[in-house]
C-alpha cells in the first residue's frame, strides 16, 4: 500500500512553525460543523492544530467545546467570541461577525445529507461569506488543502495570500 504521507515524520501536519502575525492582528477563523460532520471536524482539528492555533478561533457552541477539549489549557490558543449552536442562532451570530468585519475565514463542514431546521440561517451565512469575500471551506477536503495555504502565508508573512484575515474584500 502506498502512502502520500512521509513515513519519517510522526505527525506531518502538526510540525511547529513561527507565524509572522499574532492572532490579535488578524480577524477570526470560524470552525463550524453540522452534527454528522463533527467527527470529521474533530479529525481535521487534531490533524491541523499547529496551523489553527495561530488564529483567534471562533465558532458555534459545540464546535468551540470540541476545540477546547482538543487544545485543553494550551496557552498558545486564542479564542474569539463563542456563539450559540446553529439552530439557536449561532449561524446568524457568525453573520454578524462577518458584517462587523471580524471574520477572516470559515471552515464550515456542512452535512449535505440531512435537513436542517435553520436552513435559512445557513443560507444567509454562506451568502454573507460570499458577499464579504471571506475565505471559506465547506468540507474536510478543502479545509485540509487550505491549511497548507494558511501555514505558508503565516510563515512567509504573505497577507496577500489570505487577505480576508486583514482587510475587507469587495464582492466580485
Amino acid at each position: 500500500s502506498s502512502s502520500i504521507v512521509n513515513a519519517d515524520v510522526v505527525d506531518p501536519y502538526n510540525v511547529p512553525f513561527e507565524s509572522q502575525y499574532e492572532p490579535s492582528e488578524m480577524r477570526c477563523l470560524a470552525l463550524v460543523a453540522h452534527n454528522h460532520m463533527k467527527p470529521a471536524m474533530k479529525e481535521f482539528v487534531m490533524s491541523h492544530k499547529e496551523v489553527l492555533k495561530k488564529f483567534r478561533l471562533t465558532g458555534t457552541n459545540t464546535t468551540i467545546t470540541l476545540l477546547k477539549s482538543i487544545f485543553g489549557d494550551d496557552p498558545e490558543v486564542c479564542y474569539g467570541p463563542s456563539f450559540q449552536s446553529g439552530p439557536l442562532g449561532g449561524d446568524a451570530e457568525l453573520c454578524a461577525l462577518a458584517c462587523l468585519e471580524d471574520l477572516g475565514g470559515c471552515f464550515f463542514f456542512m452535512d449535505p445529507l440531512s435537513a436542517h431546521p435553520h436552513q435559512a440561517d445557513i443560507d444567509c451565512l454562506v451568502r454573507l461569506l460570499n458577499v464579504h469575500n471571506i475565505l471559506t471551506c465547506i468540507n474536510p477536503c478543502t479545509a485540509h488543502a487550505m491549511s497548507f495555504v494558511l501555514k505558508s502565508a503565516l510563515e512567509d508573512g504573505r497577507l496577500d495570500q489570505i487577505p480576508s484575515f486583514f482587510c475587507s474584500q469587495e464582492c466580485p
Side-chain angles (χ1 to χ4, degrees), residues 50-130:
E50 287 297 320
V51 171
L52 295 174
K53 70 183 186 180
K54 305 297 185 192
F55 293 89
R56 272 186 309 135
L57 301 174
T58 189
T60 52
N61 185 39
T62 313
T63 307
I64 289 292
T65 301
L66 171 73
L67 291 173
K68 289 181 177 179
S69 75
I70 292 170
F71 287 113
D73 294 331
D74 188 335
E76 293 181 25
V77 179
C78 178
Y79 295 100
S82 179
F83 301 115
Q84 296 289 321
S85 68
L88 299 178
D91 296 335
E93 289 175 306
L94 279 168
C95 288
L97 194 66
C99 291
L100 292 171
E101 300 182 340
D102 198 26
L103 186 61
C106 184
F107 290 6
F108 189 175
F109 291 9
M110 293 188 272
D111 180 0
L113 301 178
S114 298
H116 305 284
H118 61 298
Q119 188 63 48
D121 293 348
I122 295 165
D123 294 343
C124 184
L125 177 57
V126 171
R127 187 182 83 74
L128 286 173
L129 291 169
N130 282 308

